[in-house]
Amino acid sequence: MAHNYSYQTALAASERIGWKVKDLIGGDKKLDFSKPFMPESLAQVKQLSFLTPEEQLTLNQIRGHEYLSMFGLVEEFILPYVVDHARPQLSGDDYRVRALLQFAGEEAKHIHLFKRFKQEFEEGFGSKCEFIGPAEDVKRFVLSHSPLGAGIAILHIEWITLRHYLEGVRESQDLDGQFKSLLKNHWLEESQHTKLDTLMVEEIVARSTAKEIDQAFQEYGEIGAFIDQGIQQQAEFDVESFAQASGRNLSKSEREQVKEAVLKGMRWTYLGTGMTHPNFLATVEAIKPEAKQQIEAMAPAFC
Ligand SMILES: [Fe+2]
Ligand SMILES: [Fe+2]
């Protein structure tokens, strides 16, 4: 396939990066609640012109809390997936074994990182934000699919984190420094995960039948629909958290507009950015060209 990814170079890059959770949050590294947490390309709150700038900021930060929670949730199933993939072959290719274990170790660290940020958020925000779950149920659902189906969904997730940073955060001047550093440092390590996940998916494809590949793309669609259901529920929670935090009495139509904006922002953040990612689509196309066309046909609903 048209890439030059290898376990050896991914491992070397990962070893050069290697940050710690305490480098990013805790002590004097605090969230600044006078600043937005999410880039506007993902938050999409400024179109709500009937909200004051302070209210837009509150909604942006609620989307930040949701982002921390959502990644905490998905990394809970990525970690066991990677461990399960590594486990049957722990000898032979030393670079492969070490790169995969490093991948798993980084995801465990990211789970911890997102939790620590959430804790800081909860201490500083002053109002409770609800989030869907529990993570155990989501993990059980995703891992009940074939390794290839779950692997393609995870590849989608790895690629979106790169896009979030490169297209929204890198050039942004006004974001909270700690949140920006979280997105940057996550991006640095996820950059290796995209490559490792591509290699893992290719390994599984090499031993799969055409029927198994068809099934895997159907499962990718099922996992996407499951995430979209969660997104619809979470959009309700975000609106409720906003009403509570801002104290604003929204009219029925204003509430609908806030919900529409949040839903659209979430669909783009978690689904559209992956379904239109050129590198994700290149891997899909190499596996099954019609699957790429199907994903492209469905993507506009999430963009
Ligand atoms: Fe991660
Ligand atoms: Fe990752």
Side-chain angles (χ1 to χ4, degrees), residues 13-259:
S14 164
E15 285 180 327
R16 278 195 302 276
I17 296 162
W19 46 263
K20 298 184 178 73
V21 171
K22 68 176 170 53
D23 300 337
L24 273 54
I25 194 76
D28 59 350
K29 297 181 184 67
K30 293 197 172 306
L31 293 172
D32 178 355
F33 285 88
S34 71
K35 293 189 168 165
F37 293 168
M38 293 289 279
E40 179 56 22
S41 60
L42 303 178
Q44 302 188 11
V45 298
K46 295 221 164 119
Q47 57 187 295
L48 297 165
S49 52
F50 56 89
L51 299 183
T52 65
E54 292 73 31
E55 288 168 342
Q56 290 179 351
L57 179 69
T58 299
L59 186 56
N60 177 299
Q61 291 173 352
I62 289 169
R63 292 272 347 259
H65 174 271
E66 159 225 298
Y67 190 90
L68 297 171
S69 310
M70 187 67 94
F71 272 92
L73 185 86
V74 300
E75 309 239 355
E76 292 275 356
F77 62 75
I78 299 178
L79 171 59
Y81 179 86
V82 176
V83 171
D84 286 350
H85 185 84
R87 183 66 187 89
Q89 203 188 322
L90 290 177
S91 58
D93 182 345
D94 296 328
Y95 290 117
R96 179 182 181 278
V97 174
R98 292 184 58 206
L100 290 179
L101 294 182
Q102 187 91 358
F103 181 176
E106 285 168 3
E107 294 298 29
K109 181 174 69 172
H110 299 172
I111 292 171
H112 187 190
L113 176 78
F114 286 114
K115 264 189 213 155
R116 282 288 296 111
F117 264 78
K118 257 183 91 166
Q119 198 184 344
E120 294 275 332
F121 182 99
E122 280 154 16
E123 283 167 20
F125 187 64
S127 171
K128 195 166 159 32
C129 297
E130 241 195 288
F131 187 70
I132 50 171
E136 260 321 299
D137 292 357
V138 176
K139 177 161 63 178
R140 203 172 309 117
F141 175 81
V142 173
L143 298 181
S144 71
H145 294 84
S146 71
L148 187 55
I152 293 167
I154 290 171
L155 183 63
H156 163 128
I157 294 167
E158 307 290 1
W159 280 115
I160 69 177
T161 56
L162 268 64
R163 197 159 181 180
H164 295 164
Y165 178 70
L166 294 174
E167 291 182 9
V169 182
R170 187 161 58 172
E171 306 301 336
S172 152
Q173 302 301 322
D174 63 339
L175 293 191
D176 162 59
Q178 255 29 73
F179 219 90
K180 190 169 176 175
S181 132
L182 165 118
L183 294 162
K184 179 182 179 182
N185 284 285
H186 195 221
W187 161 71
L188 282 170
E189 293 189 337
E190 292 297 321
S191 299
Q192 278 63 254
H193 299 182
T194 55
K195 296 171 185 165
L196 294 170
D197 223 321
T198 303
L199 293 169
M200 287 163 61
V201 163
E202 287 173 3
E203 283 175 3
I204 306 171
V205 166
R207 56 169 195 259
S208 298
T209 63
K211 198 170 160 222
E212 285 165 339
I213 288 172
D214 289 349
Q215 186 201 332
F217 280 110
Q218 201 181 322
E219 290 175 327
Y220 167 72
E222 283 166 20
I223 295 168
F226 179 78
I227 292 174
D228 192 54
Q229 267 175 26
I231 283 175
Q232 292 179 47
Q233 171 70 68
Q234 186 57 38
E236 299 271 2
F237 286 159
D238 280 2
V239 176
E240 193 47 48
S241 303
F242 171 73
Q244 272 181 33
S246 66
R248 167 122 185 198
N249 214 343
L250 295 166
S251 70
K252 195 162 177 267
S253 112
E254 285 170 342
R255 198 183 163 97
E256 252 334 285
Q257 287 177 66
V258 175
K259 195 191 146 191

